[in-house]
Amino acid sequence: MEQKLVITLAIFGVLLLPLSAYAAVYDVSQHGVQNGDITNALLKAWKLAVEAPTESKVLIPKGQWTLKQALLAGPNKAPIEFQVEGTVTAYSDPYDLPDKKGEWWIGMNYLHSLTVSGGGIFDGNGKVAWTKNDCHKNPQCTSKRLPYNLSFNFINNSLVKDITIKDSKYFQSNCISSNNVTFQRITISAPAESPNTDGIHIARSVNIKVLDSIIQTGDDCISFGDELKDVLVKNVRCGPGHGISIGSLGKTDQEKDVTGITIDNCTFINSDNGVRIKTWPSTPSTLKVTDIIFTNLIMQNVSNPVIIDQEYCPWNMCSLDKASLVQISKVKIDNIKGTSFTQDALIFSCSSSKPCQDVQIGDIDLMFSGDPKLGGATTKCQNIKYVTTGKQNPPLCVKTSAPKALPK
């Protein structure tokens, strides 16, 4: 009977799918919003979606909404789309959270076939929290418990697209212990002076992509932790911020290898760094960093466009007595163009115990944009074994003296 109904309506130019093919839509505005606060309504709608046997959608419609905190966890039985069309804003007090141990404002855990979309805004309202954050100089800081805006953990086969993440109290977003997740057309923003507002932090994951996005923040645009394999960052604009960083790595001996990270066709504008690999010295960690590609990158007035720093010791919070035991190898650097705000355009400060191996350097064309009286752009090299193709400007490793102290 259902099939006959579809055929009959098609004759009149209207094609309807069987009712069983429609996704359930759970609109949070219909689930008990209280004075614009959607905390309870979102949790109710999410519970229905997670338990739904067929594809469903959780909708935050257009409008201005507030949210205390939400853990949107699985496992889900069927695909879920989290469609955010409105602006969702956090409360300003960084410690007024229902779950004070949760390092997230919105956490999404143990989910598969998830789509986050809708063109909406996640506003972390972080201005008050930034004044309380001294983690950049105090290793015992309590601000490490400040919440991330969006935290993705144990996510598989999922897509995050067409959303804005802004003004987080701490990291803007992360992706941990996940597989086959794509971030596409994401806009991430926070003031340049906002501390520890990394755009996306990725670790312990496989097959992660960040595509076609704009990231402007007060720390790394994208940072990578350990135990990573097959990551692609392409068509991303970074700046202001601290660039795209692999690491810091090797601080603990439990960390695992990083392999297969490609940064392709990205633009860096007025950022404190371009692309870099950073590892800690004087630790027992022996992980490997291998198969890294930095290619087709444009630098616009960027400090330190390319860095390998194996003496990473911010704010003198470690010892330089022993060289890093992290092995960096199979690195390809090619087609890097633009201007460097610092005279040292390329810095290779590799470990004396584990020199950088099999580094391939292709076309480089970086001009010093500072005071011409200082001369042109330069490179600094230490404990690196490399081969070149194409042309390099500035010339590579003319002197082998130790580099200047690196930015932290």
Side-chain angles (χ1 to χ4, degrees), residues 72-303:
L72 309 179
N76 50 316
K77 296 179 180 179
I80 297 177
E81 181 170 4
F82 185 27
Q83 184 170 321
V84 180
E85 298 178 353
T87 297
V88 185
T89 302
Y91 290 86
S92 62
D93 187 340
Y95 303 112
D96 185 17
L97 299 171
D99 182 353
K100 290 181 171 55
K101 294 183 179 180
E103 296 181 5
W104 34 262
W105 173 43
I106 300 174
M108 309 193 79
N109 296 354
Y110 299 101
L111 298 162
H112 69 87
S113 308
L114 169 71
T115 300
V116 181
S117 65
I121 299 172
F122 296 92
D123 184 350
N125 199 7
K127 292 181 181 179
V128 172
W130 301 333
T131 66
K132 302 178 184 296
N133 188 335
D134 63 348
C135 289
H136 59 290
K137 57 184 178 182
N138 176 14
Q140 306 302 322
C141 66
T142 58
S143 299
K144 289 181 181 179
R145 283 289 180 183
L146 290 171
Y148 295 31
N149 261 12
L150 292 183
S151 182
F152 297 95
N153 303 279
F154 306 97
I155 306 295
N156 295 312
N157 305 318
S158 295
L159 173 64
V160 182
K161 64 176 183 176
D162 301 316
I163 60 170
T164 294
I165 308 169
K166 62 174 292 189
D167 293 347
S168 181
K169 294 176 175 66
Y170 202 55
F171 285 19
Q172 304 269 12
S173 62
N174 68 357
C175 182
I176 308 295
S177 301
S178 298
N179 177 57
N180 190 29
V181 178
T182 296
F183 296 82
Q184 187 167 28
R185 295 186 298 275
I186 306 299
T187 299
I188 297 176
S189 66
E193 63 274 12
S194 58
N196 300 113
T197 51
D198 294 53
I200 306 176
H201 179 69
I202 304 170
R204 299 190 291 279
S205 298
V206 177
N207 192 19
I208 308 298
K209 297 181 178 67
V210 182
L211 310 174
D212 311 319
S213 297
I214 298 172
I215 304 176
Q216 302 168 302
T217 189
D219 210 296
D220 293 335
C221 291
I222 302 173
S223 59
F224 299 106
D226 76 308
E227 199 175 347
L228 275 177
K229 183 177 181 181
D230 297 335
V231 176
L232 173 64
V233 176
K234 189 170 184 178
N235 299 330
V236 169
R237 191 175 81 195
C238 167
H242 295 181
I244 296 178
S245 294
I246 300 173
S248 57
L249 296 171
K251 192 173 184 179
T252 68
D253 58 5
Q254 289 82 33
E255 295 180 29
K256 297 182 181 180
D257 294 350
V258 172
T259 181
I261 295 180
T262 297
I263 314 298
D264 183 14
N265 197 33
C266 294
T267 299
F268 299 80
I269 303 174
N270 298 320
S271 55
D272 288 348
N273 302 284
V275 287
R276 59 177 173 166
I277 305 171
K278 50 185 181 180
T279 73
W280 290 80
S282 299
T283 67
S285 178
T286 58
L287 78 153
K288 296 179 175 61
V289 180
T290 187
D291 293 307
I292 308 299
I293 299 174
F294 301 141
T295 187
N296 304 320
L297 307 181
I298 296 174
M299 307 288 174
Q300 297 181 14
N301 205 40
V302 172
S303 300

Side-chain angles (χ1 to χ4, degrees), residues 349-406:
S349 180
C350 298
S351 169
S352 58
S353 295
K354 297 282 187 177
C356 297
Q357 305 278 352
D358 192 13
V359 179
Q360 301 177 40
I361 303 176
D363 290 325
I364 305 290
D365 188 7
L366 292 169
M367 304 292 291
F368 175 44
S369 60
D371 187 347
K373 294 179 182 178
L374 297 176
T378 60
T379 60
K380 296 291 185 180
C381 300
Q382 181 175 294
N383 306 312
I384 179 173
K385 298 180 181 180
Y386 67 92
V387 295
T388 61
T389 58
K391 297 181 179 180
Q392 291 81 41
N393 176 40
L396 291 180
C397 306
V398 174
K399 296 181 181 181
T400 57
S401 58
K404 300 175 184 178
L406 297 177

